[in-house]
Amino acid sequence: MSLSQNWIDRAEQSVMKTYGRYPLVAVRGEGCRLWDVDGKEYLDFLAGVAVNNLGHCHPKVVAALRDQAGTLLHCSNFYQIPQQIELAEWLCARSFADRVFFCNSGAEANEGAMKLARKYSFEKYGADRYEIITAKASFHGRTLGGISATGQEKVQAGFAPMIPGFINVPFGDIDALRATITARTCAVMLEPVQGEGGVHVPPPGYIKAVRALCDEHDLLLIFDEIQVGCGRTGTLWAYQQEEIEPDVMTLAKALAGGPPIGALLAKQPFTGALGPGTHGSTFGGNPLMCSAALAAMHALEEDGILANGVAMGNYLRSKLEALRDNYDFVKEVRGRGLILGMELNCDGGEIVKQAMQQGLLINCTVGTVLRFVPPLVVTQADIDAAMAILDEILAGWSETGGQ
Ligand SMILES: *Cc1c(COP(=O)(O)O)cnc(C)c1O
């Protein structure tokens, strides 16, 4: 029996089956490569679902973790934590935000954002103004608040009742949003580019028009940049390509270069809504994760990684578009920077499996959209190798008529 099979059998007996897992037992990563326990090498174009933006085990992140691990691991938020302060300063200096709250995951950051929006509105307008408008095909996490906000029935199924006060509108449709705003609305929450919902980029002008509607009705504009922040779309934050600023932004995934962290960023006067005793997190902002995040963000900025992400995003897109032109079951290629989706006329699950067998890791969202989110340190040679594998699979696919 292979070493992999042994772990797979053990998982069967001990790990809750919340994921439909592939038979890959990951044990080591470096840059854009991942190895399984039997020594097979993979080109990782999933990157922990946009977590490993710096590639696996970026040396600066690893060094920061090693260093901090021997100095102070955890300290209560009853006290001041220098690494947390430095990270907050860094985030505020490079974004619209005036203050930051730290937590441990994306869903938790969104919970904080939704609480902040409700509290701000409660203090200013009273108890009846609490609704948050979100988008269809959005994804905001797996907590009860997160699934209530998420505009996909499949994540809510079986968990009723949802938390009241969420309404979904089609993403990119400004008239639908305008028609949904009432005296009960307090905020609009959007991913500036949708990730899990199938890699959707909003039409030009939409985000600006959303900002204007929020200003007109005094609504908080919350951007969930958990997947598309930290350089993924080619700028540090995705909103920077829209010529507007949100009031609140949530981050997680790539912020610490691999280890778990979440952050809630807000500008004045909204930051004041969460005063002493209103919100908290035991692990949030701990020295270990904050030192990793500082190292990760410095690396992103200083080592030309952001610029490489832009160049490689353009390169990968051109390669995917060439495949689209060759295969008629490829409907569309879309995305921004290094979050790219290839929509198929057919189910993409089998292509993902074949790619894995041939040493390429990608995934498929909403059944038909292949998603490419390689590390921003990916090279042209990596992309060529990945596209050769994909081309071969699509060629075989096309012979069988997409079956
Ligand atoms: C991944 C993701 C989340 C949830 O983050 P977790 O860390 O898994 O809780 C929320 N929103 C978006 C846009 C995401 O991509």
Side-chain angles (χ1 to χ4, degrees):
M1 183 169 41
S2 69
L3 294 172
S4 293
Q5 195 56 49
N6 179 39
W7 285 113
I8 293 162
D9 292 346
R10 286 166 66 179
E12 190 72 14
Q13 303 302 322
S14 60
V15 179
M16 228 181 258
K17 294 177 184 172
T18 54
Y19 302 95
R21 292 179 200 262
Y22 295 103
L24 187 167
V25 182
V27 292
R28 190 164 71 84
E30 193 186 316
C32 294
R33 284 175 172 70
L34 188 73
W35 286 269
D36 76 11
V37 69
D38 289 302
K40 180 169 173 177
E41 182 179 307
Y42 298 88
L43 251 178
D44 189 357
F45 273 43
L46 181 60
V49 192
V51 167
N52 297 305
N53 281 12
L54 304 174
H56 291 280
C57 295
H58 189 282
K60 288 187 176 172
V61 175
V62 172
L65 281 165
R66 288 205 163 115
D67 195 35
Q68 189 59 43
T71 311
L72 183 66
L73 281 176
H74 177 76
C75 163
S76 169
N77 278 303
F78 294 168
Y79 311 117
Q80 297 291 357
I81 300 168
Q83 295 78 9
Q84 182 182 133
I85 299 164
E86 276 189 55
L87 180 58
E89 287 173 349
W90 190 93
L91 289 168
C92 291
R94 279 156 189 79
S95 74
F96 69 95
D98 294 311
R99 288 181 196 280
V100 187
F101 170 83
F102 292 104
C103 51
N104 313 287
S105 69
E108 207 186 338
N110 284 343
E111 292 284 335
M114 298 183 281
K115 279 179 72 178
L116 185 150
R118 281 192 177 186
K119 186 77 167 9
Y120 178 81
S121 187
F122 173 80
E123 283 171 359
K124 194 165 174 185
Y125 295 100
D128 294 329
R129 196 174 178 275
Y130 56 84
E131 278 178 2
I132 300 176
I133 301 175
T134 65
K136 292 192 192 299
S138 58
F139 182 76
H140 297 297
R142 296 290 193 161
T143 54
L144 269 177
I147 63 173
S148 300
T150 293
Q152 298 188 56
E153 275 168 25
K154 69 172 190 216
V155 310
Q156 302 178 344
F159 299 110
M162 290 297 109
I163 292 174
F166 293 94
I167 302 177
N168 314 130
V169 295
F171 187 59
D173 182 343
I174 196 70
D175 294 328
L177 178 62
R178 187 182 295 108
T180 308
I181 296 169
T182 69
R184 289 186 303 279
T185 312
C186 74
V188 174
M189 179 157 90
L190 296 173
E191 298 156 84
V193 173
Q194 290 187 326
E196 301 302 309
V199 189
H200 295 288
V201 178
Y206 174 69
I207 297 287
K208 247 186 175 166
V210 174
R211 175 73 271 180
L213 272 181
C214 288
D215 290 341
E216 187 184 326
H217 297 274
D218 197 19
L219 311 176
L220 277 81
L221 178 56
I222 304 169
F223 276 175
D224 176 343
E225 292 218 14
I226 289 164
Q227 184 158 156
V228 296
C230 305
R232 181 51 62 188
T233 65
T235 43
L236 194 50
W237 319 119
Y239 78 78
Q240 291 169 318
Q241 296 176 48
E242 300 285 358
E243 300 172 329
I244 56 103
E245 289 180 346
D247 302 309
V248 173
M249 175 167 79
T250 53
L251 301 174
K253 292 200 164 85
L255 182 55
I261 191 170
L264 165 62
L265 287 71
K267 72 175 164 200
Q268 306 285 16
F270 311 106
T271 58
L274 294 180
T278 58
H279 196 52
S281 162
T282 297
F283 290 125
N286 67 75
L288 190 65
M289 293 314 152
C290 289
S291 62
L294 274 168
M297 291 301 101
H298 288 157
L300 189 59
E301 201 169 50
E302 289 158 15
D303 298 348
I305 294 175
L306 204 53
N308 186 67
V310 174
M312 291 304 110
N314 290 333
Y315 186 66
L316 177 56
R317 177 189 281 267
S318 70
K319 292 278 168 179
L320 291 172
E321 284 172 349
L323 292 177
R324 175 202 60 198
D325 295 343
N326 262 351
Y327 298 107
D328 56 9
F329 54 89
V330 178
K331 263 167 78 177
E332 193 184 20
V333 171
R334 55 179 183 249
R336 194 170 277 169
L338 269 178
I339 174 164
L340 294 166
M342 175 184 257
E343 180 157 8
L344 309 171
N345 275 330
C346 51
D347 187 82
E350 193 54 38
I351 293 174
V352 171
K353 275 188 202 156
Q354 287 181 22
M356 201 186 81
Q357 280 157 12
Q358 298 191 40
L360 170 65
L361 303 180
I362 54 173
N363 93 320
C364 179
T365 65
V366 298
T368 53
V369 181
L370 300 180
R371 177 173 43 178
F372 303 84
V373 281
L376 309 186
V377 295
V378 70
T379 65
Q380 206 157 314
D382 294 331
I383 293 174
D384 289 341
M387 291 302 104
I389 293 173
L390 188 64
D391 193 11
E392 198 186 314
I393 295 169
L394 295 180
W397 204 247
S398 133
E399 274 167 26
T400 63
Q403 291 310 305

